[in-house]
């Protein structure tokens, strides 16, 4: 079943740009057990692995849409991802609230490009998700430029994890996960060399928030999603920029199921943002970026 968009943009109140599906319908987890357990402790998640149907029900009840994805890190983690095909097919069943992004392992070379084209052209993925630290690669390396070129040709956005990493937190050596691959400055190269590729820097990019703010201000094709942190912990520079120069470049995101929309929105309400900025962050900017408008 190919995904076709079915969201009534006028009806929904918000679009969550960052939702994970951690377990597929066959019970296969996206991550090795040690990483799943460590991240659950780090985020204190109540339900670490809701089904796709439950995710859809959650957002339908909240009158929201959600971008949903998993991460293919088979090379670095020696662990097959949960089924991306099944994820996209499930999103097609719930196309009134879910928007599927694909994922490929950049370290698989030509196969990654072929998978990306398959997910986009044949399955209907509306974008892609990458986690440079978990996938173990430097996105600025020219080794991966053919993949970025392919995504640019497809005309689909790419979300990249940036900043601090809950995956592997508290484990010896952080489970071998290297934080430097999630420095947003590496994405500045990608955005500069592929101006037709929309780059979304996921999360407040602590400890590199000023770098992220600068890149999003400088590059028209770079955005920031606000997932992974409660808004009460956002760096002050990010709040200030979101209220001014980046008000058209920041996007609502939770990191559900690690953070619930209810908790995120409760803290968001306390941020000192202009009334005209809030609807842009919650919905308007995502509608434009995802091409959901009329």
């Amino acid at each position: 079943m190919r995904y076709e968009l079915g969201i009534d943009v006028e009806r929904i109140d918000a679009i969550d740009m960052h939702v994970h599906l951690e377990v597929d319908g066959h019970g296969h987890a996206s991550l090795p057990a040690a990483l799943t357990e460590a991240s659950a402790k780090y985020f204190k998640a109540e339900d670490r692995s809701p089904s796709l149907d439950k995710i859809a029900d959650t957002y339908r009840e909240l009158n929201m849409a959600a971008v949903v994805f998993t991460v293919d890190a088979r090379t670095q983690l020696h662990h097959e991802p949960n089924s991306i095909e099944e994820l996209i097919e499930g999103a097609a069943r719930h196309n009134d609230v879910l928007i599927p992004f694909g994922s490929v392992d950049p370290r698989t070379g030509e196969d990654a490009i072929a998978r990306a084209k398959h997910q986009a052209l044949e399955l209907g993925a509306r974008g892609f998700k990458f986690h440079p630290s978990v996938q173990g690669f430097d996105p600025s390396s020219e080794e991966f430029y053919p993949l970025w070129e392919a995504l640019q040709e497809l005309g689909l956005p790419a979300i990249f994890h940036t900043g601090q990493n809950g995956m592997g937190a508290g484990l010896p050596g952080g489970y071998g996960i290297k934080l430097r691959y999630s420095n947003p400055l590496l994405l500045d190269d990608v955005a500069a060399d592929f101006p037709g590729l929309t780059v979304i820097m996921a999360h407040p990019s602590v400890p590199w928030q000023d770098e992220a703010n600068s890149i999003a201000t400088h590059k028209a094709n770079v955005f920031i999603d606000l997932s992974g942190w409660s808004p009460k912990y956002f760096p002050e520079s990010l709040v200030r920029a979101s209220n001014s120069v980046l008000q058209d470049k920041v996007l609502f995101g939770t990191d559900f199921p690690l953070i619930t929309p209810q908790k995120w929105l409760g803290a968001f309400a306390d941020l000192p943002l202009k009334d005209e900025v809030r609807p842009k962050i919650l919905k308007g900017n995502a509608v434009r970026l995802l091409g959901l408008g009329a």
Side-chain angles (χ1 to χ4, degrees):
M1 181 185 298
R2 189 180 191 279
Y3 176 84
E4 299 291 344
L5 190 70
I7 294 171
D8 183 346
V9 174
E10 297 301 320
R11 182 188 60 81
I12 59 173
D13 297 325
I15 300 174
D16 187 337
M17 287 292 300
H18 202 110
V19 173
H20 289 268
L21 179 67
E22 298 292 340
V23 178
D24 64 25
H26 299 89
H28 181 70
S30 64
L31 299 169
L35 281 182
T36 300
E37 293 167 5
S39 64
K41 292 178 181 178
Y42 180 85
F43 286 98
K44 299 179 175 64
E46 296 175 3
D47 182 358
R48 186 67 175 80
S49 54
S51 68
L52 193 69
D53 291 340
K54 185 173 181 181
I55 291 172
D57 289 343
T58 296
Y59 282 87
R60 195 174 287 118
E61 291 171 4
L62 293 170
N63 205 39
M64 297 180 185
V67 170
V68 62
F69 45 69
T70 187
V71 176
D72 184 342
R74 65 187 70 199
T75 303
Q76 177 67 19
L77 300 181
H78 307 290
H79 181 89
E80 289 291 311
N82 51 332
S83 174
I84 295 166
E85 292 75 13
E86 184 180 291
L87 183 155
I88 298 174
E89 181 178 343
R93 294 197 312 271
H94 297 288
N95 69 343
D96 61 315
V97 290
L98 298 184
I99 303 169
F101 273 30
S103 184
V104 297
D105 183 348
R107 292 169 64 182
T108 59
E110 290 294 329
D111 184 61
I113 296 173
R115 285 175 183 269
K117 291 180 178 179
H118 171 68
Q119 290 172 21
L121 299 176
E122 297 179 39
L123 302 182
R126 303 281 297 198
F128 289 88
K129 170 63 172 26
F130 299 96
H131 197 310
S133 290
V134 168
Q135 292 174 308
F137 78 104
D138 176 349
S140 71
S141 170
E142 293 189 4
E143 174 186 354
F144 307 109
Y145 271 30
L147 177 57
W148 311 145
E149 178 67 34
L151 298 192
Q152 180 173 250
E153 291 176 359
L154 289 169
L156 296 175
I159 297 177
F160 293 84
H161 174 97
T162 65
Q164 174 65 24
N165 197 333
M167 298 300 146
L171 297 178
Y175 205 79
I177 292 171
K178 297 176 181 178
L179 298 180
R180 67 183 176 89
Y181 290 145
S182 292
N183 188 323
L185 279 175
L186 301 179
L187 296 175
D188 186 57
D189 287 18
V190 177
D193 292 338
F194 298 94
L197 175 63
T198 296
V199 173
I200 303 168
M201 299 185 293
H203 318 309
S205 299
V206 176
W208 303 292
Q209 191 60 57
D210 287 343
E211 287 89 335
N213 294 346
S214 178
I215 296 164
T217 300
H218 187 250
K219 303 288 192 299
N221 54 321
V222 177
F223 294 75
I224 296 174
D225 90 34
L226 300 174
S227 66
W229 292 64
S230 168
K232 65 184 177 181
Y233 298 123
F234 284 177
E236 193 278 333
S237 67
L238 175 59
V239 177
R240 185 174 63 250
S242 298
N243 214 20
S244 55
V245 295
L246 292 183
Q247 62 181 276
D248 297 317
K249 307 293 291 292
V250 290
L251 307 155
F252 164 46
T254 59
D255 224 1
F256 185 79
L258 299 175
I259 298 175
T260 67
Q262 296 92 327
K263 288 183 178 179
W264 193 98
L265 289 170
F268 180 71
D270 294 331
L271 290 183
L273 296 174
K274 301 171 185 175
D275 290 342
E276 62 268 27
V277 168
R278 292 182 185 276
K280 291 183 177 184
I281 295 173
L282 292 175
K283 177 181 170 181
N285 294 341
V287 168
R288 188 178 73 257
L289 184 152
L290 295 170
L292 304 183

